[in-house]
Amino acid sequence: MNDRPVIDVLVIGAGPSGAAAAVDLVRRGLDVRIVDRSLHAFDGSRAKGVQPRSLEVLEDLGALPDVLAGGSTYPKLGIHAGPLAVPWTMFPHREATPDVPYPNTWLIPQFRTDRALHARLSELGREIEFGRELTELTQDEDTVVAKVAGPDGTEEIVARYVVGADGGSSAVRKQLGIGFVGTTDESDRMLIVDASVTGLARNRWHMWPGRGGRFIGACPLPHSDMFQWMIRLTPDEEPPAEKDDIVQRIHQHTRNRGIRLHDIHWTSVFRPNIRLAESYGRGRVFLAGDAAHVHTPAGAQGLNTGVQDGYNLGWKLGQVLAGADATLLDTYEAERQPIAAGVLGLSTDKWGGIAKLDPSSMKRGKDEQQLALTYYGGPLAPADGMRTGTLRAGDRAPDAELLRADGTGTRLFDVFRGPYFTAIAYGPGAARDLELLAWPTAGAQLKRLTVGATAADGLGFLDPKNTLKGAYGLTGDTLLLIRPDGYVGHIATRDFLTTTRSAARAMTP
């Protein structure tokens, strides 16, 4: 296998999971190709909710400006009961705080999220190779060979690692022979339609309940005249395919003949698959996104979980390619599979509640926002480690408002941004030991940040409003190591140097 050019990573699938992984890998200076069997980027609204934690991830990856420009906060629900429409707050609006800069779920059709990540990848000098489908996958101890069929025939791509982010029907997963455990209810189907609409107010996500949970919903898509229609079908119902038949079905259920559909941009029949891959990879090949887990649409969890799969895997691949122990890659499944299992349970419960017209199933809160997800107790965040008043190793590292030595303000997330580790030394004792901390020259580099002291390298900050102290629960000298994916890698409230060196050893060359 070694007589052909070998790239670092081949990403198969250019949806949100694959594109996020590719962006993270490319910005680490790795040689990456990303292929997708579709002839062009996805055109549908499908997964339209981006959660607060994913907005933070997209900011770090450099794709957030386009995502914010292409979306909006969610409107209230309008639950129609005869001639009346009852307003219902599905997403309580929250104001940004120093520790949570993006507190609200963002409404944006998936095709815009995809394109924001694709544009970022293009800025980094990589283009997606569309119309290229995986046909065979083999691997040995050092490389993976992927046979990819395209318009010019079949090419063999040799890579050190492969990321399979090619959807629920993943060819990568099937090539690996990994089981996809769960259920598919063929009798429970939903027709999804993106259409230009008149005769319907755009300040509500409209919901028309029906017997047996056979509702119709219509969500306005921002910055357009389109709505995403969700038409839950009866078990024996043939999905209407033509525009007139779709309109007739809507009129029949809503009893509102003033609704008019004009251009239909995309349609799909959705079945609530609830499945989880038995493992997240084999050898040098890994699964991410829908290739590893598929969910009901309730709660807007699938896309978000997939993006964070790619974000978790990207830095670990980069570190191992730079010389870190390959066992670091085992932590990908150990950290992400339990998250997906929990999310599957959450979205399944919400979906079942919608069928029963349970009002609580339409509420969205902190569970869906994914800010409280943690890797605590996992292989990189042992439960016997030190903690602060609010944080344990494995928790999300909050944002904070800090002041530079020159008096200008900055966000902690601005310091974190990029493919780096960050060490935060709070107090003079931690700052002295941070200066002594040796760091490998290979792989992700370390940003050293001191708070409460002035550092010669310009990364000394003050916390005049105690936003860092409060969010991080700091009561005395503390040294924190933040992973490249924004989670706490280590907390030291004593033995700063010894314990931080030990924690870093598992994540660095």
Side-chain angles (χ1 to χ4, degrees):
M1 289 188 184
N2 296 321
D3 58 345
R4 287 161 288 182
V6 181
I7 63 172
D8 290 320
V9 184
L10 170 65
V11 179
I12 300 173
S17 307
V23 169
D24 196 32
L25 292 163
V26 170
R27 71 177 182 161
R28 295 176 189 283
L30 300 178
D31 187 6
V32 178
R33 289 177 65 178
I34 177 168
V35 302
D36 194 286
R37 66 181 180 181
S38 299
L39 296 177
H40 53 74
F42 180 68
D43 283 330
S45 64
R46 190 159 53 198
K48 62 185 181 300
V50 179
Q51 300 293 352
R53 178 57 190 156
S54 296
L55 293 173
E56 295 173 358
V57 171
L58 292 167
E59 180 179 42
D60 180 49
L61 295 177
L64 186 62
D66 284 351
V67 169
L68 293 181
S72 70
T73 55
Y74 272 78
K76 287 185 177 180
L77 276 179
I79 302 176
H80 293 261
L84 301 176
V86 180
W88 180 275
T89 301
M90 174 184 274
F91 298 89
H93 182 80
R94 295 179 173 87
E95 295 299 324
T97 58
D99 59 320
V100 181
Y102 308 107
N104 298 300
T105 305
W106 199 243
L107 172 61
I108 177 173
Q110 182 178 325
F111 65 81
R112 289 188 189 146
T113 302
D114 283 5
R115 283 164 174 76
L117 285 162
H118 296 176
R120 177 61 179 143
L121 196 56
S122 183
E123 286 178 3
L124 293 169
R126 294 293 190 282
E127 300 297 333
I128 294 159
E129 302 173 44
F130 286 108
R132 300 174 68 78
E133 183 173 6
L134 177 73
T135 60
E136 187 179 332
L137 200 63
T138 57
Q139 60 179 309
D140 61 20
E141 291 183 359
D142 300 312
T143 55
V144 186
V145 176
K147 289 187 178 180
V148 175
D152 300 324
T154 298
E155 178 187 6
E156 289 190 347
I157 302 174
V158 185
R160 292 181 174 85
Y161 291 97
V162 167
V163 178
D166 51 341
S169 60
S170 171
V172 174
R173 189 186 65 244
K174 292 172 183 175
Q175 286 281 330
L176 295 176
I178 293 174
F180 207 31
V181 179
T183 62
T184 301
D185 188 348
E186 295 291 345
S187 67
D188 188 1
R189 297 161 301 140
M190 184 183 292
L191 175 64
I192 310 293
V193 179
D194 291 349
S196 300
V197 176
T198 55
L200 194 60
R202 296 190 59 82
N203 64 344
R204 289 288 184 271
W205 179 347
H206 301 272
M207 189 77 72
W208 293 267
R211 292 181 180 177
R214 304 298 162 182
F215 63 86
I216 285 184
C219 183
L221 299 176
H223 314 306
S224 74
D225 61 356
M226 290 194 296
F227 280 76
Q228 183 197 71
W229 289 87
M230 297 147 283
I231 304 171
R232 202 167 188 182
L233 305 169
T234 59
D236 57 352
E237 182 178 0
E238 187 68 24
E242 300 299 325
K243 183 177 76 170
D244 290 347
D245 295 330
I246 294 171
V247 171
Q248 182 181 4
R249 177 69 167 78
I250 291 171
H251 287 172
Q252 182 183 41
H253 186 100
T254 65
R255 308 198 182 284
N256 182 351
R257 296 191 170 273
I259 298 171
R260 292 283 180 266
L261 271 63
H262 303 287
D263 296 329
I264 291 180
H265 301 268
W266 175 75
T267 65
S268 178
V269 176
F270 171 84
R271 293 167 178 79
N273 288 306
I274 304 164
R275 295 183 180 272
L276 182 64
E278 290 181 324
S279 68
Y280 270 32
R282 188 159 292 161
R284 291 178 165 268
V285 184
F286 298 88
L287 303 176
D290 285 358
H293 45 82
V294 289
H295 315 249
T296 78
Q301 298 296 289
L303 177 150
N304 295 277
T305 304
V307 165
Q308 292 172 57
D309 287 344
Y311 195 53
N312 182 288
L313 180 59
W315 73 269
K316 294 173 180 178
L317 283 170
Q319 289 296 88
V320 171
L321 284 164
D325 195 299
T327 56
L328 179 61
L329 295 174
D330 297 337
T331 71
Y332 168 61
E333 177 179 314
E335 291 188 336
R336 293 305 300 170
Q337 193 179 51
I339 297 293
V343 166
L344 281 171
L346 174 67
S347 65
T348 302
D349 288 346
K350 293 287 186 183
W351 183 254
I354 291 172
K356 299 172 185 175
L357 300 182
D358 175 6
S360 67
S361 69
M362 292 182 276
K363 284 284 189 183
R364 301 291 183 261
K366 65 178 183 179
D367 289 340
E368 289 83 7
Q369 294 185 328
Q370 301 196 351
L371 293 168
L373 295 181
T374 181
Y375 302 131
Y376 173 72
L380 296 178
D384 59 356
M386 288 175 269
R387 59 169 299 164
T388 70
T390 58
L391 293 177
R392 307 163 301 182
D395 291 348
R396 162 190 169 268
D399 200 1
E401 295 175 352
L402 299 176
L403 202 63
R404 294 186 179 91
D406 64 5
T408 59
T410 188
R411 291 170 52 210
L412 184 58
F413 279 5
D414 289 336
V415 179
F416 286 172
R417 189 172 300 130
Y420 311 104
F421 286 85
T422 305
I424 304 173
Y426 185 82
R432 283 192 298 271
D433 277 7
L434 177 56
E435 288 185 10
L436 300 174
L437 179 65
W439 197 261
T441 56
Q445 293 304 289
L446 179 69
K447 290 184 177 180
R448 301 168 193 258
L449 166 67
T450 63
V451 179
T454 301
D457 61 6
L459 287 181
F461 294 86
L462 299 174
D463 184 26
K465 297 180 181 179
N466 290 326
T467 61
L468 178 81
K469 181 180 179 180
Y472 282 71
L474 304 174
T475 56
D477 279 27
T478 307
L479 184 60
L480 302 106
L481 181 63
I482 311 302
R483 298 169 13 166
D485 58 355
Y487 286 84
V488 179
H490 180 64
I491 297 172
T493 55
R494 62 182 185 278
D495 300 329
F496 306 120
L497 200 54
T498 303
T499 62
T500 304
R501 280 174 176 163
S502 179
R505 200 171 295 124
M507 299 183 281
T508 56

